[in-house]
Amino acid sequence: MKDFSHLLAKVNGRATASVIRELLKMTSVPGMISFAGGMPAPDLFPAEEIGEIVKDVIVKEPNIALQYGCTEGEAGFKAELIKLLKADEDIEVTPEELIVTSASQQALDIVSKAFVDPGDAIIVGKPTYLGALQAFETYGADMIGVESDDFGITAESLEEKLESLKKEGRVCKFIYIVPDFQNPTGTTIPTERRVKILELAKKYGTVILEDSPYRKIRFKGEHQKTFYALDKGEGNVITMFTFSKTFVPGFRLGYIIADKDIIRKFAILKQAMDLCSSPVCQAITAEYLRQGRLENHVKKLVKVYSEKREAMLKALEKYMPQGVTWTKPEGGLFLWVVLPENIDAEKMFITAVKNNVAYVIGSAFYPDKSGKNTLRLNFSYASFEQIEEGIKRLGKAIKEYKA
């Protein structure tokens, strides 16, 4: 077989495989209980409702549903998104300030391509979403991590990093934040801290890239304003939303809201990626929104996921050995486990797999690969019985590793 490696672009050397997807290959064996993926529960997909809508959409508007679409998104779908933003977030945007994407991962790729040249500085949390780190790394970003506590990234650490960059004569291209029920920790940034972070972004001449996939999945506590709403249309925030967690991930639909000039640049980049996101999926989702079905569906998700969260928290209390701690998220799909410092979660993964239980190693969520004694657990996908048994197996694996 011929070796064409000398013909490949340098970007291939920066692109890395997803740790989660690689680990999942090891877990597809009979009897394995996996808390590794970030998948919604498939038994909660609104399959029948979607089935009712599909035929009508295709028969009534085949020229829209089955044809090439507009790069920025179909007009009818965007109109429903604009209504949704106003109803849910009291955010008003024009069609020119919104672009439909193939879910959040394409949004991350578009933003990276638009903002990042190799060596450019961006700021991310320690830890933060692995898929974002992959996207940023592919474009050669210099990812600078800021410290986090029980309420997300700290303003003090952020200011310290921004000031350090300024002294070096460098510009921070953007600050990437998952403010609500963060992946991987499940933490939420309080509104007063968001205000301070936004002030810092303005002071140092950068923008906030707000990633909001889990926002509607709140179990308890107070709703916090988005960074976009706090910015009041001043153009300092780019916000990404997705339907992957609140509707169906298979449609691969998301959207970005930002200043219209930025959205125009995103559209030019997206044209070269895929021309348009699936028009038929946009048409189906638009009709689902038009019929007012999303809110009831989300209520069902919140009820079940809240119960699964409680089941996992109780199981952790029951089976975790002394010295292990974990977060208690008010929403989302994940919680974060911190092991004693002498335990390496990556090395322990082999022991866990032998006990037929899987998780995601915490170091994968750090730009500097620290956090060796941490791991992420997903509670949305597994059944209640699997949660109980899986946490029991995890506790056993921790004890065996320590021994």
Side-chain angles (χ1 to χ4, degrees), residues 71-89:
T71 300
E72 289 86 349
E74 295 307 302
F77 183 42
K78 290 178 74 172
E80 292 304 318
L81 295 178
I82 289 168
K83 289 180 196 173
L84 188 68
L85 284 167
K86 178 60 180 174
D88 283 1
E89 307 293 353

Side-chain angles (χ1 to χ4, degrees), residues 191-251:
T191 297
E192 56 271 23
R193 187 179 295 190
R194 297 181 192 214
V195 171
K196 177 62 176 173
I197 290 169
L198 182 57
E199 288 172 353
L200 289 171
K202 294 177 183 178
K203 177 181 175 181
Y204 288 92
T206 189
V207 297
I208 291 172
L209 177 57
E210 179 180 29
D211 195 353
S212 190
Y214 317 104
R215 186 168 169 78
K216 289 173 73 70
I217 307 175
R218 174 173 282 280
F219 312 142
K220 57 195 295 187
E222 294 183 6
H223 197 59
Q224 311 294 315
K225 283 192 173 184
T226 63
F227 277 97
Y228 197 95
L230 292 170
D231 191 44
K232 298 178 180 177
E234 292 185 17
N236 300 291
V237 179
I238 298 167
T239 300
M240 306 182 299
F241 294 96
T242 180
F243 285 97
S244 293
K245 309 304 184 186
T246 55
F247 187 38
V248 288
F251 278 12

